Amino acid sequence: MTTGGYSPAIWAGLLGTPLMIAAGQVLFKLTSGTTGEFGVKGLAALMLNPLLLAALAIYGAGTIIWIFVLKAVPLTIGYSFMALTFCFVPVLASVFLGEALTLRYVLGAALIIGGMFVING
């Protein structure tokens, strides 16, 4: 890839932000298992749910980091790294939710990573 001239902090943001987004998705899924009925009482309880608050904090931190990453890299390079979210989510879902990590997901991740090399190559 032609992105080799970036600082370690930018690389951490390029790789870390999609990982943070994926972690937030796992927390959203965990939150959904503790959510009550849709209504005023259920929404009030949801707003105080520590899993939801953690997910929102991770998303918020990831967004702030991403703004600084985009300051340093062209959007076309930065945005291609967001595709890594589709690679990280199945792995985290397997580890933390017990979801199956199938060959289909592994092949899909390989295609995404290969596509990143084509785009950024």
Side-chain angles (χ1 to χ4, degrees):
M1 289 194 217
T2 61
T3 55
Y6 298 118
S7 72
I10 296 303
W11 276 106
L14 284 168
L15 298 171
T17 301
L19 184 59
M20 293 173 78
I21 299 300
Q25 288 297 324
V26 169
L27 288 170
F28 284 140
K29 178 65 176 177
L30 289 169
T31 300
S32 73
T34 65
T35 302
E37 296 296 318
F38 184 75
V40 174
K41 187 176 178 182
L43 288 173
L46 180 61
M47 287 187 203
L48 299 174
N49 186 313
L51 292 170
L52 176 62
L53 297 176
L56 293 173
I58 289 171
Y59 259 72
T63 300
I64 291 168
I65 291 167
W66 193 243
I67 289 169
F68 285 100
V69 168
L70 291 179
K71 182 179 179 180
V73 303
L75 183 59
T76 53
I77 290 173
Y79 196 70
S80 70
F81 277 82
M82 290 309 289
L84 290 174
T85 303
F86 295 103
C87 300
F88 292 145
V89 166
V91 172
L92 294 179
S94 176
V95 171
F96 294 103
L97 303 173
E99 294 183 9
L101 187 59
T102 64
L103 179 61
R104 179 178 60 164
Y105 289 123
V106 172
L107 292 174
L111 288 171
I112 288 169
I113 293 168
M116 289 178 62
F117 278 99
V118 171
I119 290 170
N120 296 310

